[in-house]
Amino acid sequence: QLYKPESRFRISLYRYEAAAISSLASREAEIYVLCGTIQLTGAAASLTLGPQQLASIPAGRYEVKVAAEEQAEAVLVWDLSVLA
């Protein structure tokens, strides 16, 4: 119910292997970690999120590091109406 109407939002699932290091370029978004632990580091923000945690992140480029112990999954949600 939070992200209605559906046409206004883009929702993407990201899956990472344990100990993965990746990059992410994002517009302002909300990130929900479903499982695992993810560390995001960028000029705009740095944070660590665990299972069932969420945060708003500003637009920017991020390095994504996943904890060595387990895989991680995260969902990013963008509000497309702010792009118009």
Side-chain angles (χ1 to χ4, degrees):
Q1 301 293 347
L2 183 60
Y3 299 109
K4 300 285 184 183
E6 292 173 7
S7 60
R8 182 177 158 191
F9 298 95
R10 178 174 175 205
I11 301 172
S12 296
L13 173 65
Y14 290 83
R15 291 188 171 117
Y16 299 100
E17 294 298 320
I21 298 175
S22 184
S23 61
L24 173 70
S26 180
R27 300 179 190 268
E28 182 178 329
E30 291 185 352
I31 181 169
Y32 297 87
V33 176
L34 303 175
C35 63
T37 300
I38 295 175
Q39 180 182 14
L40 294 171
T41 305
S46 293
L47 61 143
T48 300
L49 297 170
Q52 301 181 9
Q53 290 187 310
L54 65 107
S56 294
I57 58 170
R61 299 181 86 69
Y62 296 90
E63 179 181 68
V64 180
K65 291 183 181 178
V66 178
E69 301 81 33
E70 59 189 345
Q71 297 176 338
E73 291 185 354
V75 173
L76 266 71
V77 180
W78 297 273
D79 184 344
L80 301 176
S81 69
V82 300
L83 305 177

